Amino acid sequence: MNLCFIFCLISTSLVFTFVSAGSNVTYDSRSLIIDGQRKLLISAAIHYPRSVPAMWPGLVQTAKQGGVDVIETYVFWNGHELSPGNYYFGGRFDLVKFAKIVHEARMYLILRIGPFVAAEWNYGGVPVWLHYIPGTVFRTYNQPFMYHMEKFTAYIVNLMKQEKLFASQGGPIILSQIENEYGFYENYYKEDGKKYALWAAKMAVSQNTSVPWIMCQQWDAPDPVIDTCNSFYCDQFTPTSPNRPKIWTENWPGWFKTFGGRDPHRPVEDVAFSVARFFQKGGSVHNYYMYHGGTNFGRTAGGPFITTSYDYDAPIDEYGLPRLPKWGHLKELHKAIKLCEHLLLHGKSVNTSLGPSVEASVYTDSTGACAAFISNSDDKNDKTVEFRNASYHLPAWSVSILPDCKNVVFNTAKVSSPTNKVAMVPEKLQQSDKSQKTFKWDVLKENPGIWGEADFVKNGFVDHINTTKDTTDYLWHTTSILIGKNDEFLKKGSEPVLVIESKGHALHAFVNQKYQGTAYGNGSHSPFTFKNPISLKAGKNEIALLSLTVGLQTAGPFYEFVGAGVTSVKINGLNNKTIDLSSNAWTYKIGVQGEHQRLHLVDGLNNTKWTSTSEAPKGQALTWYKAIVDAPPGDEPVGLDMLYMGKGLAWLNGEEIGRYWPRLSEFKKEDCVEECDYRGKFNPDKCVTGCGEPTQRWYHVPRSWFKPSGNVLVFFEEKGGDPTKITFARRKVV
């Protein structure tokens, strides 16, 4: 997931756009030091491929207006190295353009090269092709993995050098990452893992960037590597070396969602409490993960079952709008902390207990200047305390900031920022051809099962991921069974039961071309069982199974070896017997036909025969829909309302909107809250909403993807829905 990481100070210097020379970057026990000046830094995670280039300037400026100094992003290996040595840096993956936009905004940049990132991103950001290079084991002291990891890391470092983006060259990059939260997993890899972690650190240093390194959750980080923290709370974190600054690499202001899961929210009072406590306890670099979560466009969502939305309940929402009061309250917090910056970084500190759960941290210098943080960590009771001959009221679970040790300029529990309410205002699809009196759809129905020539035939089952290599979500399995016309169950009119077992992630079942139902798993390995009565006829009966992946594993020890797919197929109640089809000859086909015909692209194969209709079929599985539409009016962000569809993929003008699946949350009503109590330590199940509702109803379609008219909107519906109820929605502050 968004887990912690190993940073490196890629450059020994930094400068903004208005300075022509580079600046030296070092550190001591208090902070990073830039050109001889200690710096207190507030950073915001914004992942460039989870938005689009047209959004980047606005996102960066909104973060800056929120009191942020630094933008942080991962580098997504599998988005850049599409096959060995085949690199891509266009569109949403234009890393150089993103870095230059940060530079133009006169902000710093943290570049988390990884190149393993986790981050709820498909396969943790590692290219799937790497798993199929013989002998490769991810994130271990393994020569094939280390070779390709070092090669990609060097490529990114050299690209940044060529574009003069490191601080020493006058660019914005002050920090960079190698690996990602390895300390969580090295015990699984044992001594091999320790060797790999040490190698990774040495490899990064060898990139000729003259850098100190930072490694998150690497409790035995070797010198000169600095260990850092990521969590909901890092105030008690202490670096293993007294000569290293206290850095919080990930503070989670919300959490991600999964299809069928809950909708978690972290109250801003608690986020502010955690940040204020971190700086109260001597922290100097703080990063929000995420500040803008964005969207997992296309098939980039990991999982299984990570939603297309990666909103994260972040200060800037998925569509690029400030989330109030969260954004505004944190902006005021940042102002208050900055008022204390000099004393936090240069003053002497004294911590004093003012009573149970109440603590004052006082920073002073030789001039007599004074700043104080007074915290009440009681999660139930307000407190009134005496501090320097004055009385102060402290709400439960709050921190008061006093830049002069007298006047409270900010309390984390007192929210004065306005609250905005955001609505998704529906807009009917408007077709571009105004000569048509009724809305026209182009429709193409696929037949269940094998299309064209089979890819292969095999007795028994194959692993889904090893077969598709993640080139598609889809893998067809077909077999047949002969039924005699005198079989007993036909005479009785009884229906046998099709029973399918799978280790993930989902499947759609068809018998004799008829859709029988869908099943899917839960949890990291997603095992599930499909059971459904089926009708069989005398003679040959075809059973066709469309196995699905819904995002690959993103992290964990040896996660690349976690498989998926069908493991058993039986028919119960066939003449009072169970027939096991598992060892049958199964015919396989990778992908669905429309993918191969490029129906989702504007330049799809010209010989594809769409059927035009004013009455689009409803409830029909394996169906492609296409409409030519106008852009929604106005300039607000746009979502696509897919509430009445089943499951599938969507595109606009060939751009991948992503997987849609209005799957209902399986959490019970009593698991949700109407109002969240911010007091006390947070966890992702504390403040959940959306129980019994679709986990994701609206799907972000960036405005920059639209033309005024003639927009090609394409859907592939797997199980059946009602396309006539699809609408756009403008995200509007009301």
Side-chain angles (χ1 to χ4, degrees):
M1 52 149 274
N2 55 310
L3 301 174
C4 216
F5 52 91
I6 306 169
F7 273 126
C8 67
L9 298 180
I10 275 284
S11 173
T12 56
S13 55
L14 179 141
V15 69
F16 291 133
T17 53
F18 51 87
V19 181
S20 59
S23 302
N24 185 55
V25 179
T26 56
Y27 66 87
D28 63 12
S29 63
R30 300 294 289 270
S31 70
L32 297 184
I33 300 172
I34 301 176
D35 273 350
Q37 298 294 318
R38 287 176 177 157
K39 292 288 184 179
L40 186 152
L41 298 173
I42 297 171
S43 174
I46 299 174
H47 294 163
Y48 55 99
R50 281 177 159 145
S51 55
V52 293
M55 295 175 64
W56 294 342
L59 294 173
V60 170
Q61 286 298 326
T62 302
K64 185 175 183 179
Q65 291 164 11
V68 168
D69 310 291
V70 186
I71 301 298
E72 173 267 308
T73 185
Y74 282 123
V75 176
F76 294 85
W77 186 3
N78 57 10
H80 291 300
E81 192 171 5
L82 307 183
S83 59
N86 175 26
Y87 297 103
Y88 175 74
F89 288 89
R92 292 183 291 111
F93 289 91
D94 193 340
L95 173 59
V96 170
K97 182 174 182 176
F98 181 77
K100 289 182 176 179
I101 286 171
V102 173
H103 188 47
E104 290 163 4
R106 301 183 177 186
M107 299 180 74
Y108 300 112
L109 178 64
I110 294 173
L111 194 67
R112 300 172 65 180
I113 296 174
F116 167 82
V117 300
E120 291 76 58
W121 189 265
N122 199 50
Y123 227 42
V126 180
V128 174
W129 53 257
L130 183 54
H131 178 53
Y132 298 101
I133 291 178
T136 301
V137 181
F138 290 2
R139 308 181 73 198
T140 65
Y141 197 75
N142 171 269
Q143 292 304 318
F145 181 76
M146 293 190 298
Y147 168 79
H148 286 280
M149 174 186 170
E150 182 174 10
K151 181 170 171 280
F152 180 75
T153 300
Y155 190 95
I156 295 298
V157 169
N158 289 330
L159 177 63
M160 298 299 102
K161 286 180 180 178
Q162 292 167 14
E163 298 292 337
K164 301 187 185 304
L165 292 171
F166 292 133
S168 59
Q169 302 170 296
I173 302 172
I174 54 168
L175 300 169
S176 189
Q177 163 202 334
I178 192 69
E179 246 301 328
N180 188 33
E181 201 174 38
Y182 195 72
F184 277 137
Y185 303 120
E186 72 170 18
N187 286 337
Y188 290 96
Y189 303 130
K190 301 190 184 302
E191 290 305 314
D192 182 74
K194 296 182 185 298
K195 286 174 62 179
Y196 168 72
L198 181 60
W199 170 85
K202 289 181 178 179
M203 181 273 289
V205 172
S206 74
Q207 298 301 310
N208 298 320
T209 51
S210 302
V211 300
W213 291 79
I214 301 172
M215 182 179 292
C216 181
Q217 304 290 15
Q218 190 67 32
W219 299 283
D220 57 352
D223 287 331
V225 175
I226 305 169
D227 55 320
T228 69
C229 177
N230 79 310
S231 178
F232 287 111
Y233 306 94
C234 280
D235 52 304
Q236 300 301 322
F237 167 73
T238 302
T240 55
S241 168
N243 298 317
R244 299 169 181 172
K246 185 172 179 176
I247 297 176
W248 192 351
T249 44
E250 292 186 11
N251 184 0
W252 307 317
W255 204 245
F256 59 91
K257 297 196 296 183
T258 58
F259 288 117
R262 70 279 187 274
D263 188 3
H265 302 274
R266 188 180 183 192
V268 67
E269 297 95 330
D270 180 56
V271 180
F273 173 83
S274 69
V275 177
R277 282 281 294 175
F278 175 69
F279 286 106
Q280 176 182 359
K281 290 295 187 178
S284 60
V285 179
H286 170 276
N287 178 58
Y288 293 102
Y289 185 105
M290 299 290 299
Y291 197 80
H292 165 73
T295 307
N296 293 314
F297 295 110
R299 297 172 54 252
T300 58
F305 305 128
I306 303 297
T307 55
T308 300
S309 171
Y310 198 66
D311 179 82
Y312 222 87
D313 197 31
I316 303 175
D317 73 15
E318 177 181 5
Y319 295 80
L321 301 177
R323 172 172 275 113
L324 298 176
K326 184 169 281 188
W327 179 88
H329 191 56
L330 295 178
K331 175 181 178 179
E332 296 305 314
L333 168 65
H334 302 156
K335 285 182 181 179
I337 292 171
K338 288 290 187 177
L339 290 174
C340 308
E341 179 174 11
H342 178 78
L343 288 168
L344 287 172
L345 299 181
H346 298 275
K348 295 181 179 179
S349 65
V350 176
N351 297 318
T352 304
S353 172
L354 302 181
S357 304
V358 181
E359 180 182 26
S361 299
V362 180
Y363 290 81
T364 58
D365 67 11
S366 59
T367 69
C370 178
F373 289 66
I374 308 177
S375 61
N376 175 14
S377 57
D378 190 314
D379 61 5
K380 294 180 178 62
N381 302 302
D382 293 4
K383 301 290 179 68
T384 299
V385 299
E386 294 294 319
F387 174 71
R388 294 201 166 198
N389 300 319
S391 179
Y392 296 91
H393 176 75
L394 299 172
W397 201 252
S398 75
V399 179
S400 288
I401 300 176
L402 297 73
D404 59 359
C405 283
K406 295 179 181 179
N407 298 294
V408 177
V409 299
F410 185 88
N411 178 273
T412 59
K414 297 179 180 179
V415 180
S416 60
S417 172
T419 299
N420 65 355
K421 292 187 177 180
V422 180
M424 300 300 286
V425 180
E427 291 285 345
K428 288 186 176 181
L429 301 184
Q430 299 292 331
Q431 65 182 354
S432 295
D433 185 355
K434 305 305 180 186
S435 66
Q436 295 285 337
K437 295 182 180 180
T438 58
F439 195 92
K440 187 186 80 170
W441 289 93
D442 288 338
V443 178
L444 191 148
K445 175 74 167 65
E446 291 199 15
N447 292 323
I450 304 304
W451 49 272
E453 294 185 7
D455 287 325
F456 60 93
V457 178
K458 184 181 186 301
N459 289 341
F461 300 114
V462 297
D463 180 80
H464 182 123
I465 298 171
N466 286 340
T467 304
T468 66
K469 296 181 172 56
D470 199 41
T471 57
T472 173
D473 282 355
Y474 307 113
L475 177 63
W476 277 111
H477 311 52
T478 69
T479 193
S480 61
I481 181 173
L482 289 174
I483 302 296
K485 62 181 180 180
N486 294 320
D487 278 15
E488 184 178 346
F489 83 95
L490 290 175
K491 297 176 182 178
K492 291 183 177 180
S494 60
E495 288 189 324
V497 176
L498 179 64
V499 180
I500 306 167
E501 294 181 356
S502 173
K503 57 184 177 181
H505 305 156
L507 68 80
H508 307 302
F510 301 82
V511 175
N512 295 327
Q513 302 286 301
K514 293 182 180 180
Y515 173 67
Q516 303 295 312
T518 294
Y520 38 81
N522 290 289
S524 61
H525 292 202
S526 310
F528 64 89
T529 300
F530 172 94
K531 286 185 179 181
N532 203 61
I534 57 174
S535 296
L536 298 176
K537 63 184 180 180
K540 182 179 179 181
N541 293 263
E542 183 185 75
I543 296 173
L545 309 178
L546 184 58
S547 177
L548 314 172
T549 48
V550 191
L552 302 189
Q553 296 287 325
T554 63
F558 306 107
Y559 74 91
E560 71 272 27
F561 293 100
V562 175
V566 177
T567 58
S568 170
V569 176
K570 297 177 182 179
I571 300 178
N572 293 341
L574 195 62
N575 299 328
N576 296 318
K577 296 179 181 179
T578 294
I579 305 300
D580 191 341
L581 304 179
S582 303
S583 58
N584 269 31
W586 288 87
T587 304
Y588 291 90
K589 189 70 177 180
I590 297 171
V592 295
Q593 188 172 11
E595 288 179 301
H596 288 253
Q597 294 174 318
R598 298 165 58 91
L599 298 184
H600 54 291
L601 300 181
V602 176
D603 63 346
L605 298 180
N606 294 327
N607 60 357
T608 302
K609 294 182 180 179
W610 293 87
T611 299
S612 294
T613 178
S614 59
E615 295 186 10
K618 305 171 185 178
Q620 184 167 285
L622 305 179
T623 303
W624 292 82
Y625 299 93
K626 179 172 70 173
I628 312 300
V629 299
D630 290 342
D635 59 2
E636 300 95 342
V638 177
L640 192 64
D641 187 349
M642 303 298 282
L643 178 62
Y644 298 97
M645 296 299 283
K647 181 184 179 300
L649 299 167
W651 298 263
L652 179 76
N653 295 325
E655 300 283 358
E656 300 175 298
I657 298 170
R659 297 184 183 99
Y660 66 84
W661 192 6
R663 178 180 170 184
L664 299 182
S665 169
E666 296 179 354
F667 278 60
K668 298 177 181 178
K669 289 289 185 182
E670 53 266 30
D671 295 324
C672 277
V673 298
E674 293 185 6
E675 186 174 349
C676 182
D677 186 350
Y678 74 87
R679 300 173 301 177
K681 288 196 172 182
F682 180 78
N683 67 75
D685 291 324
K686 180 179 179 181
C687 299
V688 298
T689 63
C691 296
E693 300 174 3
T695 309
Q696 184 174 353
R697 173 176 179 174
W698 291 281
Y699 297 79
H700 182 206
V701 188
R703 274 281 181 183
S704 61
W705 287 0
F706 284 97
K707 301 177 291 184
S709 64
N711 297 282
V712 182
L713 191 59
V714 176
F715 312 99
F716 174 59
E717 173 56 45
E718 299 167 12
K719 53 182 286 194
D722 186 351
T724 66
K725 292 183 178 179
I726 293 173
T727 67
F728 287 125
R730 292 182 292 131
R731 190 166 180 84
K732 191 176 182 66
V733 177
V734 296

